[in-house]
Amino acid sequence: MHLHWNERGSNAELSRRYSWIWQGIVALVAVGLVATFAFAHIFTTFAPWDDEGYFLQTCRDFLSGHVPYDQVSSIYGPFTFFSAALLARFDAVNVTHDNFRWAMLPVWIVIASLMAGVVWRWTGRFSSALVAFLLVGFRLKGLAKGVGHPQLWIILAVAVLLWLGLDWIYLPGKQRRAFGTGLVIGVILLCKINIGIFVSVAVALAVSLQLRGRSRNISLWSAMTAAAGLGLLLLFASSAGSDKYFVLAYLGSLAATVGIAIGRPVEQQPSLTSLTWLVAGLGICLCAGVGVTLACGTTLRALFTSLITAPVTFVRSYHNPFLDATRRGSILLSAIGFGAAIGIFRWRRLADVRPAWLGLLKAAAGTGLLCAFSYDHRLALTGSLLFLWLLIVDAQPMSDPAYSNRLLLALLCPLFSLQLFPMAGEQVDWAALMPITAAAMLLADGTNCIDRESFRTHLPRLTRVVAGATGTLLAICLFLFGGGSALHRYRQWRDAQPVNLPGTHWLRLPPSETARLTVTVRELSRNCQAVMTLPRLYSFSLWSGVPPVEELPKLRQQNRGCVLVSRDMYRFFRQFGVSPSNDELLSEVQRTMRPIFVLQDLTLYVPSQRPEISPDAPRR
């Protein structure tokens, strides 16, 4: 008998060892696939609105000795300057399109790994974690349209925040994690104040829901007022019906999650010492960031104007509504989630009688949401918020640390999604990342619940097999479709010719786009000593070496001053204007200057009094 048990133990150990080996192999293949996908997208994408040119130019100006905010205009926090300077090794020569793309590649992989690691660490389900890694890794492709944008660091910081979790408020000796959480929140605030506020409110609400006594009532009332107030402010400020619909889904998600959390009895008092360390980390990060900025010569007035006044002006001037919120598929998914949320108390009673049904509900919700995000993340985002309450409901009472982590995720998802106001562009991609992680968590939690209950209530074996195989099947589908997309994009990069402008050896674009950039840069270098671009397309200045000028009167004081106009991008930005523009600047350029070069949507203007340029200047 003793020998028999030894053999069974040895076989189990061998099985676990083989399982780890196979999981390691699959994980390496997945990392290779996402890395190929990321590389191919990063080095075959150049957005015509040229956000990256703006960020690279501000970094180059900063490293050239210009004072942030006083002499270098930006509506983003000081961490944008410091992180870019670190990537450029504090040398303006290293501020190139290629260098910043290479820096983005490993961060892309780290973000997807952290999101997947959260699922694996919290649930122990490798297949669900693999689905999260692949889906998040593929969804990050929007990063390639904004190289140098601080959104990269915001997403990384939020992924780290989830990895740190919130269970440290119950675990002794975890003050370092609390301090790290404060530092991460501070970094987000130093990147973009609005997103930092959203994240701070989510963390404050998650913490206050787990306190006891008077401190719980005061902190919960304050945090809930802030969270609901943000939604109500957007609800009454938004003019588009689709935006209002999304805000209602946000408020519904918030109400369902908080309603369940309030009803949960608080058994263990969180450590107030840990909360003190969180505040200390936040305070030190903010003081250091603002202090270093002021030490660089920035004035308080310029800092306030750039980070407070200018963003408010931007919000009032531009708006791109989230129209996908009211598409049929989105409304259908929202209706399903709303119906489940309405029956929330019935589900909880059912969980006490038949816990396996709750597991099936979680697994079905997670699977459906993951499929919806795979099909169209913009379509799935709104409805996904109404399923988040499932994260904190279980057949058996969760341990305090497990509950705390899931509560953080359930609250962070809707609040982080508010960043899509007022411009619902790539911001929708970023808002979808955490609901994707939450969906993978639901699938894993549901599968674990079914496995646990199958031994107690003798569920049909087919139910357990189907639930366990769902994550594997989804991972296989993502491997196939993602692999095909990655291979196609890599072949596109391999078969194309490098742009080969300064700092773009690895960047490869279609021939028409390459010609649009290279020929225009050549004409700028030949004819101009200063240039103003409409709209701001700073990459042309970086490539040509012609310094940019922001105002037309200053340009006229320059020798050989030119204006480069992109008609398509000018119309592109005009459509987001809240009030119609009278195009005075463009009309003034066309009235007082003459075109010497036209290529596709680009036109290069010089002062009318200048003599004619040689006839070999291309006109197309």
Side-chain angles (χ1 to χ4, degrees):
M1 178 65 70
H2 181 69
L3 181 61
H4 174 70
W5 283 108
N6 283 342
E7 289 178 353
R8 291 188 61 180
S10 177
N11 290 337
E13 179 65 27
L14 188 62
S15 176
R16 283 194 296 270
R17 185 176 302 174
Y18 279 127
S19 176
W20 277 99
I21 292 173
W22 278 110
Q23 287 178 358
I25 293 173
V26 172
L28 287 175
V29 173
V31 170
L33 175 61
V34 172
T36 303
F37 180 90
F39 172 85
H41 273 273
I42 289 173
F43 288 101
T44 57
T45 301
F46 178 78
W49 50 84
D50 195 22
D51 275 354
E52 64 180 290
Y54 166 76
F55 291 108
L56 297 184
Q57 183 66 53
T58 57
C59 177
R60 181 169 289 188
D61 289 343
F62 172 59
L63 291 176
S64 299
H66 295 80
V67 178
Y69 304 113
D70 284 82
Q71 297 175 341
V72 183
S73 176
S74 177
I75 63 173
Y76 300 96
F79 190 81
T80 307
F81 293 100
F82 305 146
S83 60
L86 184 63
L87 292 179
R89 300 186 297 279
F90 299 95
D91 189 346
V93 176
N94 296 324
V95 181
T96 68
H97 294 71
D98 274 355
N99 286 345
F100 275 65
R101 278 172 163 78
W102 278 114
M104 177 185 288
L105 182 58
V107 179
W108 185 319
I109 306 300
V110 170
I111 292 171
S113 300
L114 286 172
M115 295 287 194
V118 166
V119 177
W120 195 6
R121 194 177 70 172
W122 291 2
T123 67
R125 284 284 169 179
F126 176 76
S127 59
S128 297
L130 184 61
V131 171
F133 176 78
L134 293 171
L135 201 50
V136 170
F138 297 150
R139 187 53 52 212
L140 287 171
K141 65 180 181 181
L143 290 174
K145 298 179 182 179
V147 176
H149 198 293
Q151 190 69 51
L152 176 70
W153 307 115
I154 293 173
I155 298 171
L156 177 61
V158 171
V160 172
L161 188 66
L162 279 180
W163 177 262
L164 291 172
L166 206 58
D167 55 354
W168 43 261
I169 64 177
Y170 293 110
L171 304 175
K174 297 296 182 181
Q175 287 81 7
R176 286 184 299 178
R177 284 172 58 187
F179 185 79
T181 300
L183 287 177
V184 169
I185 297 174
V187 168
I188 298 173
L189 282 165
L190 291 174
C191 287
K192 287 192 73 176
I193 292 179
N194 62 324
I195 299 181
I197 292 174
F198 301 152
V199 171
S200 299
V201 172
V203 174
L205 187 56
V207 170
S208 63
L209 283 166
Q210 299 172 81
L211 298 176
R212 290 193 299 180
R214 186 179 178 184
S215 59
R216 171 188 171 103
N217 296 331
I218 296 175
S219 60
L220 179 58
W221 174 257
S222 302
M224 192 60 198
T225 300
L230 288 170
L232 293 174
L233 177 64
L234 293 172
L235 181 66
F236 291 112
S238 300
S239 57
S242 57
D243 285 349
K244 293 179 181 294
Y245 183 82
F246 181 84
V247 173
L248 289 175
Y250 159 81
L251 291 172
S253 173
L254 204 64
T257 302
V258 173
I260 294 175
I262 289 177
R264 184 180 189 270
V266 180
E267 299 178 356
Q268 183 180 353
Q269 175 69 15
S271 171
L272 297 180
T273 303
S274 297
L275 297 180
T276 303
W277 278 95
L278 183 149
V279 175
L282 174 61
I284 290 174
C285 183
L286 291 179
C287 291
V290 174
V292 172
T293 305
L294 296 178
C296 291
T298 304
T299 61
L300 285 173
R301 181 178 180 180
L303 192 65
F304 181 84
T305 301
S306 299
L307 300 185
I308 305 297
T309 307
V312 171
T313 303
F314 177 83
V315 169
R316 292 175 177 175
S317 303
Y318 295 95
H319 181 218
N320 180 23
F322 183 41
L323 300 176
D324 301 89
T326 49
R327 289 169 57 188
R328 291 181 180 178
S330 177
I331 293 176
L332 176 60
L333 189 61
S334 301
I336 296 172
F338 182 72
I342 289 295
I344 182 172
F345 295 105
R346 181 181 177 184
W347 287 118
R348 294 185 72 178
R349 290 195 297 268
L350 181 63
D352 295 334
V353 180
R354 295 185 178 180
W357 285 99
L358 181 62
L360 287 173
L361 175 61
K362 284 190 172 186
T367 302
L369 290 175
L370 289 171
C371 291
F373 278 114
S374 300
Y375 174 72
D376 187 344
H377 67 287
R378 300 180 71 94
L379 195 70
L381 176 59
T382 307
S384 69
L385 301 182
L386 296 173
F387 289 90
L388 296 173
W389 57 272
L390 275 169
L391 286 168
I392 57 173
V393 177
D394 201 4
Q396 297 179 351
M398 295 183 192
S399 66
D400 287 334
Y403 169 80
S404 183
N405 287 333
R406 284 162 177 77
L407 180 62
L408 173 65
L409 178 58
L411 293 172
L412 207 51
C413 286
L415 278 153
F416 190 68
S417 70
L418 293 183
Q419 67 175 298
L420 57 84
F421 295 96
M423 299 292 291
E426 275 71 46
Q427 290 83 354
V428 183
D429 298 0
W430 320 141
L433 295 176
M434 277 189 292
I436 289 173
T437 307
M441 196 78 66
L442 285 175
L443 174 59
D445 281 345
T447 305
N448 286 338
C449 180
I450 292 172
D451 281 351
R452 185 173 62 244
E453 294 303 319
S454 65
F455 293 104
R456 294 177 53 193
T457 59
H458 304 290
L459 289 175
R461 186 172 182 270
L462 181 61
T463 303
R464 182 183 177 190
V465 171
V466 170
T470 301
T472 303
L473 182 61
L474 286 174
I476 291 173
C477 292
L478 288 172
F479 264 114
L480 293 176
F481 290 106
S485 177
L487 185 60
H488 171 75
R489 196 79 178 202
Y490 178 76
R491 286 174 176 171
Q492 181 180 333
W493 177 85
R494 185 192 60 189
D495 296 338
Q497 293 295 319
V499 175
N500 260 343
L501 288 167
T504 61
H505 173 73
W506 289 89
L507 178 62
R508 302 185 180 187
L509 302 173
S512 61
E513 293 185 38
T514 300
R516 176 181 179 273
L517 301 180
T518 56
V519 176
T520 303
V521 169
R522 187 181 67 213
E523 292 302 313
L524 275 173
S525 302
R526 178 188 300 175
N527 298 297
C528 309
Q529 291 184 355
V531 62
M532 183 175 74
T533 55
L534 296 177
R536 295 178 178 179
L537 306 172
Y538 289 117
S539 288
F540 287 105
S541 290
L542 293 170
W543 291 327
S544 64
V546 179
V549 176
E550 302 294 335
E551 299 174 4
L552 192 58
K554 290 184 178 180
L555 182 74
R556 287 172 175 159
Q557 299 174 5
Q558 301 286 331
N559 183 33
R560 299 174 67 192
C562 306
V563 176
L564 180 65
V565 177
S566 170
R567 295 188 304 275
D568 291 350
M569 289 302 99
Y570 195 82
R571 297 190 192 104
F572 175 76
F573 285 109
R574 275 197 61 191
Q575 68 180 325
F576 301 131
V578 173
S579 58
S581 171
N582 54 11
D583 296 334
E584 289 184 0
L585 182 58
L586 181 59
S587 299
E588 179 69 9
V589 169
Q590 293 173 337
R591 185 179 64 84
T592 61
M593 307 183 79
R594 61 187 177 85
I596 62 168
F597 166 77
V598 178
L599 177 61
Q600 298 178 26
D601 68 310
L602 294 171
T603 304
L604 184 63
Y605 290 88
V606 297
S608 298
Q609 65 270 24
R610 284 190 55 187
E612 290 290 339
I613 301 298
S614 58
D616 62 342
R619 295 175 180 268
R620 303 185 186 181

